[in-house]
Amino acid sequence: MKNYFIYFALASIIAISCKSGKVSKIEVTKLAESSESWNGSPLPEYLEGKPKVTILKIVIPPKTKLKVHKHPVINAGVLLKGELTVVSEQKDTLYLKAGDPIVELVNTWHYGENEGAKPAEIIVFYAGVEGTPITVIKEEN
């Protein structure tokens, strides 16, 4: 009886969807494709070892500067909300606004800064290997 109810509910939903005349179309938009970081540096070869993918949602409060850091693994992200400035050790600078993708620097010291009045929210995907950190903070002298 329980299965009959589930099938009936699914059939009803499908029938209602078909009668509404609305046909949804799947859209695919390529936000980034690159073999280089945002500053033009070539991405390194993938590390040897057991793969480990990490996905982080990072929220940076207004008027906040992150510590200088580097990523030993390839990573990329999309800024969902707010604005973010990324500055490399060589003073290369990238300005991101909501919706912008970033192919991050690898093994290069840099920092991000939210100079705006609203939080900056970014999703970042890291393609690493087990035992390798995704971020290393630079020690202050």
Side-chain angles (χ1 to χ4, degrees):
M1 184 70 169
K2 187 176 178 182
N3 285 342
Y4 175 74
F5 176 75
I6 292 172
Y7 293 130
F8 177 75
L10 283 173
S12 298
I13 291 170
I14 292 169
I16 291 169
S17 296
C18 290
K19 287 181 182 178
S20 70
K22 292 184 182 177
V23 178
S24 296
K25 179 182 168 191
I26 296 172
E27 283 188 40
V28 177
T29 303
K30 187 183 295 184
L31 298 177
E33 181 178 88
S34 182
S35 56
E36 299 177 340
S37 300
W38 61 261
N39 72 347
S41 299
L43 292 173
E45 298 290 323
Y46 282 110
L47 300 174
E48 295 289 328
K50 184 174 180 182
K52 182 172 139 184
V53 173
T54 305
I55 303 171
L56 300 179
K57 175 182 169 185
I58 303 165
V59 179
I60 304 164
K63 308 298 182 197
T64 299
K65 180 179 176 182
L66 301 175
K67 292 183 178 185
V68 175
H69 62 278
K70 66 180 175 179
H71 307 286
V73 300
I74 294 173
N75 65 98
V78 177
L79 188 67
L80 300 176
K81 297 178 183 175
E83 296 179 353
L84 188 62
T85 302
V86 184
V87 182
S88 76
E89 191 172 43
Q90 295 78 27
K91 302 296 181 211
D92 295 325
T93 304
L94 176 67
Y95 299 99
L96 297 169
K97 61 184 181 326
D100 286 345
I102 179 174
V103 178
E104 255 289 36
L105 302 171
V106 180
N107 287 320
T108 300
W109 296 111
H110 64 283
Y111 65 89
E113 185 170 8
N114 179 357
E115 300 168 307
K118 297 179 182 179
E121 188 175 303
I122 189 167
I123 298 286
V124 184
F125 301 81
Y126 299 84
V129 296
E130 284 189 359
T132 300
I134 57 175
T135 302
V136 176
I137 305 295
K138 188 172 187 178
E139 293 183 26
E140 296 180 21
N141 295 327

